[in-house]
Amino acid sequence: MKPIYTYISENEQATERLARFIAEAAVPGTVITLDGDLGAGKTRFSQGFARGIGVQGLVNSPTFTIIKEYEGARLPFYHMDVYRIGLEDADDLGLDEYFYGNGVTLIEWSTQIEEILPSNRLEIVINRTGDEQTERTFTIIPHGEPYLTWCHSLEGNRWN
């Protein structure tokens, strides 16, 4: 059974802190999957993550373009939204080149292509919780290294 970590975000600033913490640990080939209902905070997390690796300018959801590429100060950032595609389309896009490339890949709605995701990745599921509209629960599941080490660091920071 894989370990599961939980992070409670009381507001957008806390979501950004989590995203930046993970971004600081990112290395070439990092793959992060983000799932959650519409409005759960996937794009907000992605924006914080992008800033954490030094992407300048606006980062928005690639809903209709599927993949947006950004040049970060530390690493290239590949932001994907695969909500509108199936496995066949995903294969045609050559996603492996992103997954195993020199940048960081962040995939929104990743359950759509779960069968082709790398076995080593950081899985994040975001849910709205509490009475406040801004509170979110992040369920974080590390699949392999270095993601397990990252989650231990989160735990050490008392963020869960």
Side-chain angles (χ1 to χ4, degrees), residues 3 13 42 44 49 52 76-77 91 101 107 124 151 155 157:
Q13 292 79 19
K42 295 179 295 296
R44 183 72 187 110
F49 184 89
F77 176 51
D91 278 341
I107 309 153
I124 301 174
C151 288
E155 189 174 45
N157 281 302

Side-chain angles (χ1 to χ4, degrees), residues 16 20 43-63 65 67-72 77-79 108:
E16 178 137 346
R20 285 179 178 258
T43 300
R44 183 72 187 110
F45 178 91
S46 300
Q47 291 167 336
F49 184 89
R51 276 192 288 284
I53 61 170
V55 173
Q56 301 294 314
L58 179 66
V59 171
N60 52 23
S61 182
T63 301
T65 57
I67 302 169
K68 288 189 176 180
E69 297 181 17
Y70 300 92
E71 201 54 49
F77 176 51
Y78 312 124
H79 188 194
E108 295 186 28

Side-chain angles (χ1 to χ4, degrees), residues 17-32 45-46 48-55 72-78 99 101-106 121-122 124 145-151 153-154:
R17 277 195 306 274
L18 173 64
R20 285 179 178 258
F21 179 87
I22 293 171
E24 287 174 11
V27 296
T30 293
V31 175
I32 299 170
F45 178 91
S46 300
F49 184 89
R51 276 192 288 284
I53 61 170
V55 173
R74 287 196 321 110
L75 297 163
F77 176 51
Y78 312 124
F99 298 158
N102 293 323
V104 176
T105 305
L106 193 145
R121 65 185 184 275
L122 188 65
I124 301 174
E145 287 295 340
Y147 311 109
L148 186 58
T149 300
W150 297 0
C151 288
S153 295
L154 275 174

Side-chain angles (χ1 to χ4, degrees), residues 23 76 85 117 152:
I85 67 171
L117 292 172
H152 285 307

Side-chain angles (χ1 to χ4, degrees), residues 73-91:
R74 287 196 321 110
L75 297 163
F77 176 51
Y78 312 124
H79 188 194
M80 301 178 183
D81 183 327
V82 296
Y83 182 77
R84 300 185 189 297
I85 67 171
L87 281 176
E88 282 184 32
D89 294 330
D91 278 341

